[in-house]
Amino acid sequence: MTSPAGPPPTGTGGTEQKRLKLLAVTACPTGIAHTYMAAEKLAQAAESRGIDMKVETQGSIGAENVLSDNDVSTADGVIIAADKDVDLSRFAGKRVLKVGVAEGIRHPEQLIEQVRSAPVHEPGGAAAASPAGGGRERSATYKALMNGVSYMIPFVVVGGLLIAISLSLGGHTDPSGGLVIPKDSFWMDVNNIGVIGFTLMVPILSGYIAYAIGDRPALVPGMIGGWIANTGSLYDSKAGAGFIGAIVTGFLAGYLVLWIKKVKVPKFVQPIMPIIVIPIVATTVLGMFFIYVIGKPISWVFEHLTSWLGGMTGTSAILLGTILGLMIAFDMGGPVNKTAFLFGAGLIATGNQTVMGMCAAAIPVMPLGQGLATLIRKRLYDEQERETGLASLFMGCFGISEGAIPFAAARPAQVIPANMLGGAVAGAVAGMAGVKDAVPHGGPIVAVLGAVSGVPMFFVAVVIGSVVTALATVALIDISERGRRGAAVAAFAGTDGAEPALVPGGAGASAAGSDAAAAVPAQGAGGSTPSASGSVSGGGSAPEADGAVPAEPAEPAGPDEERTEPAAPSGDVLSGYLTERTVKARLDAQEKEAAIREMAELLARSGDVADVDELVSTALRREEQGTTGLGEEIAIPHAKTDAVTAPVVGFARSVEGVEWGSMDGTKARLVFMIAVPEAAAGDEHLRILALLSRKLMDAGFRERLLAADDERAVLGVLSEIR
């Protein structure tokens, strides 16, 4: 039984009511700023109502303030404010309310009220979502897909790069066909290791999609189902179903396990259900279903596509190149791609090398185009995606089309059409120019190794196709994000005509900064546009957006309240990274670039800055990816660079404020700057950002910073950061 709504009564009554105890877990995809902001807001709201609350944060530096079994057993309710999967099994039997992390920042008071009447979480059940209508929690389908993609990416990168390296350093063209690596050579061993990575990536994608839906019992059927999908020989197909098949088997396995969990079984069977019965039944059913039901149509389509293409060899080269390019780009290693590839490869032996030339030009377009897109519009992508983009560019140069799979799996509706458009253009240009390829492989590597005739036009086709793919991808993602932001503004504005609160800069979307910049909420995908009513919508990359977060107005101290000046600190702040030497009571600069240079010069007082100009350049490059204006008159520019020899933090105040591009429109008056060497840009960097993010959500703390008389008084206030 939970306590009634409203704060527990106080006073001197004869009966003392039990003090309400709540728990919370906060987590955002980047695991930095919004994780801790939500925790701080929930804790503050609970404290103001006389409610005990313990908040576990699942951030990039690991879980902190972890909830113990005793905490859970004595709790009256649990709030899950998260945009990624959180294990709910430990909360069975408790009232659980699950919302997006932004709701934890935006409406902590409402969540505290709602959790008191939330349904009790049953083992294996799903937590109740917020009825508030504005939570914009990511759908279960989206979360499951992104869970699979995030686990798959390392396998794609490692496998693809090892294959590319082995081909470039150990491979050569062979008159018998193909790029050949000598057997029993070192580079063949490297290639084999890379092939293992590629072989595992499809089952990993399927397995972790299933895991996100059905928990641990779904992992085995998901992975085995993905392996079956990728092994065409099991269902008489010359090519496996690839990543599209893996997505299908992942969702089938996950929901099949959920259905089996609902089956009532005797008590003596229940303990072995998750470790024996469910995995065996789900794996067998899914495997047989794919082999006998789904696999046969895939094989049929493969055979008929090959026959259809065989009848087109006499048609226009441009038309044939367009069709082959569309097929190559569609599923990047799946049956449609393999049909086109094997069709071109088979004609090489007959002396017709032009068809393989069309395929060879289209093959690298997808990874090159997606990698180029991450460079053109960095703010549309998070840090992991940009790193994958660089690897994708490298893989594209060696004709490894699978480098684009993580992007296609994450945003199929935007990426696959863009890939197909670029592939069609590349194939058409190569067909028009009569490009020939003598080996069954594609990408610039075959031209470099001398297997292509018509090299200039081959590169023209590849470049044009890649640029078309990149621009189409950026445009489609941007359109998608604008639509999402428009819907968010409409939902947020309400119907009562009241003007909504302003949004802190970028709290709605973690900037896809290269240094876990989401720790400093920054401008999201495609920018953000204030609405007529004064609300601001924030967009972010698909896996990273945390939702727009409205500000809470500061409550200044009343005239009769005594303001106590904080005592001077007994030691340095933030592990000594911020000292009196790196604090400035008045920032002179009026513009952002000048302010960053002034802050860099302030950091140089520490003696840990080796190159001020490089530090400034790095910080400005970071600003190009998305503003570090947090809103609420706060900015936290930061840089990872070897221009500093040790982590250092500085702080300065601006009287007039500096225009920093914050989405709530406020000028930055409280400016922190963080600089860390590349080697120290891990947990310590994240810890500094997390500590600042938490404390700066306290309006009283910000007021004290603005009111402090001099550097020493400012440092005294900053010493409150723990």
Side-chain angles (χ1 to χ4, degrees):
M1 177 179 292
T2 59
S3 301
T10 58
T12 58
T15 303
E16 183 178 349
Q17 184 174 348
K18 175 181 176 292
R19 188 177 174 94
L20 190 68
K21 180 178 180 180
L22 299 177
L23 303 179
V25 179
T26 62
C28 63
T30 54
I32 315 175
H34 298 136
T35 297
Y36 300 105
M37 289 178 182
E40 198 71 19
K41 284 291 187 182
L42 286 166
Q44 290 174 0
E47 183 179 3
S48 69
R49 284 160 174 70
I51 298 172
D52 289 333
M53 175 176 279
K54 182 176 180 180
V55 186
E56 175 183 309
T57 55
Q58 296 187 2
S60 293
I61 56 179
E64 298 176 278
N65 205 31
V66 177
L67 305 177
S68 67
D69 291 342
N70 184 59
D71 292 327
V72 175
S73 65
T74 58
D76 295 296
V78 184
I79 298 170
I80 307 294
D83 281 339
K84 66 178 186 179
D85 287 315
V86 173
D87 183 8
L88 302 181
S89 60
R90 53 182 166 157
F91 304 127
K94 296 295 177 181
R95 295 186 182 276
V96 177
L97 179 69
K98 193 170 188 296
V99 297
V101 71
E103 285 295 283
I105 306 173
R106 190 164 56 200
H107 303 304
E109 299 86 357
Q110 293 181 17
L111 299 184
I112 289 173
E113 297 300 324
Q114 291 164 7
V115 73
R116 304 183 192 194
S117 57
V120 174
H121 178 62
E122 300 294 341
S130 168
R136 290 185 289 130
E137 182 191 358
R138 293 291 187 177
S139 67
T141 300
Y142 173 85
K143 287 183 176 181
L145 180 61
M146 292 311 301
N147 194 60
V149 170
S150 65
Y151 280 101
M152 176 188 68
I153 285 175
F155 290 86
V156 176
V157 173
V158 171
L161 292 183
L162 288 178
I163 291 173
I165 291 170
S166 64
L167 286 173
S168 62
L169 299 180
H172 61 272
T173 56
D174 188 270
S176 62
L179 290 174
V180 177
I181 302 174
K183 293 182 179 180
D184 301 324
S185 68
F186 171 79
W187 294 114
M188 177 57 75
D189 293 334
V190 173
N191 183 271
N192 289 337
I193 295 172
V195 169
I196 291 172
F198 258 17
T199 304
L200 288 173
M201 74 173 180
V202 172
I204 290 294
L205 172 63
S206 177
Y208 280 97
I209 288 175
Y211 176 81
I213 298 170
D215 210 351
R216 290 180 180 86
L219 188 59
V220 170
M223 286 194 173
I224 294 178
W227 189 283
I228 293 172
N230 202 38
T231 309
S233 59
L234 293 175
Y235 43 91
D236 299 325
S237 175
K238 293 182 180 179
F243 85 96
I244 294 178
I247 292 174
V248 172
T249 56
F251 281 106
L252 286 177
Y255 287 111
L256 178 60
V257 167
L258 283 184
W259 179 79
I260 296 175
K261 285 181 177 180
K262 295 178 181 178
V263 176
K264 300 296 184 182
V265 297
K267 283 189 176 181
F268 72 89
V269 179
Q270 290 177 359
I272 64 172
M273 285 292 289
I275 58 175
I276 298 178
V277 178
I278 293 177
I280 290 177
V281 172
T283 300
T284 304
V285 171
L286 177 63
M288 294 298 101
F289 178 76
F290 201 96
I291 291 173
Y292 291 107
V293 179
I294 300 178
K296 295 298 181 182
I298 291 176
S299 177
W300 182 89
V301 169
F302 181 91
E303 293 172 359
H304 284 76
L305 278 176
T306 303
S307 300
W308 177 64
L309 286 174
M312 292 191 62
T313 53
T315 60
S316 165
I318 296 178
L319 176 60
L320 182 58
T322 300
I323 293 173
L324 289 172
L326 288 170
M327 294 174 66
I328 288 288
F330 174 68
D331 54 2
M332 292 153 286
V336 177
N337 171 284
K338 283 294 190 293
T339 297
F341 177 81
L342 294 176
F343 175 68
L347 290 177
I348 294 176
T350 68
N352 184 348
Q353 300 177 357
T354 55
V355 174
M356 192 62 218
M358 302 171 195
C359 296
I363 284 171
V365 162
M366 298 80 73
L368 291 176
Q370 295 305 321
L372 184 59
T374 65
L375 299 178
I376 292 175
R377 289 293 297 278
K378 293 182 179 180
R379 281 178 285 181
L380 293 179
Y381 299 90
D382 62 34
E383 169 67 9
Q384 186 181 48
E385 287 176 314
R386 285 197 302 278
E387 290 178 354
T388 305
L390 295 177
S392 180
L393 287 169
F394 190 74
M395 283 186 263
C397 293
F398 294 90
I400 302 172
S401 60
E402 287 87 348
I405 286 179
F407 300 98
R411 300 184 178 96
Q414 292 80 36
V415 172
I416 292 178
N419 283 347
M420 293 176 67
L421 182 59
V425 170
V429 172
M432 179 182 65
V435 172
K436 296 181 179 181
D437 181 12
V439 299
H441 199 78
I445 183 66
V446 294
V448 172
L449 294 178
V452 170
S453 63
V455 172
M457 287 306 299
F458 172 80
F459 278 106
V460 168
V462 171
V463 170
I464 293 177
S466 301
V467 170
V468 167
T469 288
L471 295 178
T473 299
V474 167
L476 290 173
I477 294 177
D478 203 22
I479 291 171
S480 174
E481 293 298 332
R482 288 177 187 274
R484 182 186 303 158
R485 291 198 302 271
V489 170
F492 183 65
T495 57
D496 57 358
E499 181 174 328
L502 291 174
V503 181
S510 298
S514 61
D515 46 359
V520 182
Q523 188 172 350
S528 300
T529 308
S531 71
S533 64
S535 66
V536 181
S537 63
S541 67
E544 302 294 326
D546 289 346
V549 183
E552 291 189 2
E555 296 180 2
D560 297 329
E561 295 183 38
E562 181 179 353
R563 185 183 297 275
T564 303
E565 192 68 29
S570 57
D572 295 328
V573 181
L574 289 173
S575 303
Y577 302 144
L578 192 151
T579 67
E580 193 168 356
R581 287 177 296 176
T582 58
V583 170
K584 195 171 186 179
R586 182 185 178 93
L587 185 70
D588 298 323
Q590 301 296 314
E591 297 179 351
K592 184 198 292 190
E593 184 172 345
I596 288 176
R597 176 165 291 279
E598 187 173 342
M599 292 299 298
E601 292 170 350
L602 176 64
L603 296 187
R605 295 181 185 176
S606 67
D608 294 322
V609 178
D611 189 337
V612 172
D613 290 337
E614 178 59 26
L615 174 57
V616 172
S617 298
T618 304
L620 290 175
R621 285 195 297 271
R622 167 61 189 86
E623 292 294 327
E624 291 175 0
Q625 298 169 12
T627 178
T628 56
L630 181 64
E632 302 279 18
E633 300 182 326
I634 302 164
I636 313 182
H638 46 284
K640 291 190 301 183
T641 173
D642 288 330
V644 295
T645 57
V648 58
V649 182
F651 169 75
R653 299 180 306 189
S654 172
V655 176
E656 299 296 330
V658 179
E659 179 56 57
W660 218 277
S662 299
M663 290 198 299
D664 67 353
T666 60
K667 293 184 177 181
R669 298 182 62 197
L670 304 175
V671 181
F672 291 86
M673 186 168 185
I674 304 170
V676 295
E678 289 285 354
D683 287 354
E684 191 65 10
H685 185 209
L686 300 180
R687 187 181 72 85
I688 296 170
L689 287 166
L691 288 172
L692 284 176
S693 298
R694 277 173 167 162
K695 196 60 180 177
L696 288 171
M697 294 306 295
D698 183 350
F701 177 75
R702 299 195 301 269
E703 286 182 1
R704 291 193 295 276
L705 271 183
L706 289 171
D709 294 331
D710 54 24
E711 282 82 357
R712 189 156 183 78
V714 167
L715 198 63
V717 177
L718 293 174
S719 66
E720 298 177 22
I721 300 175
R722 294 287 186 270

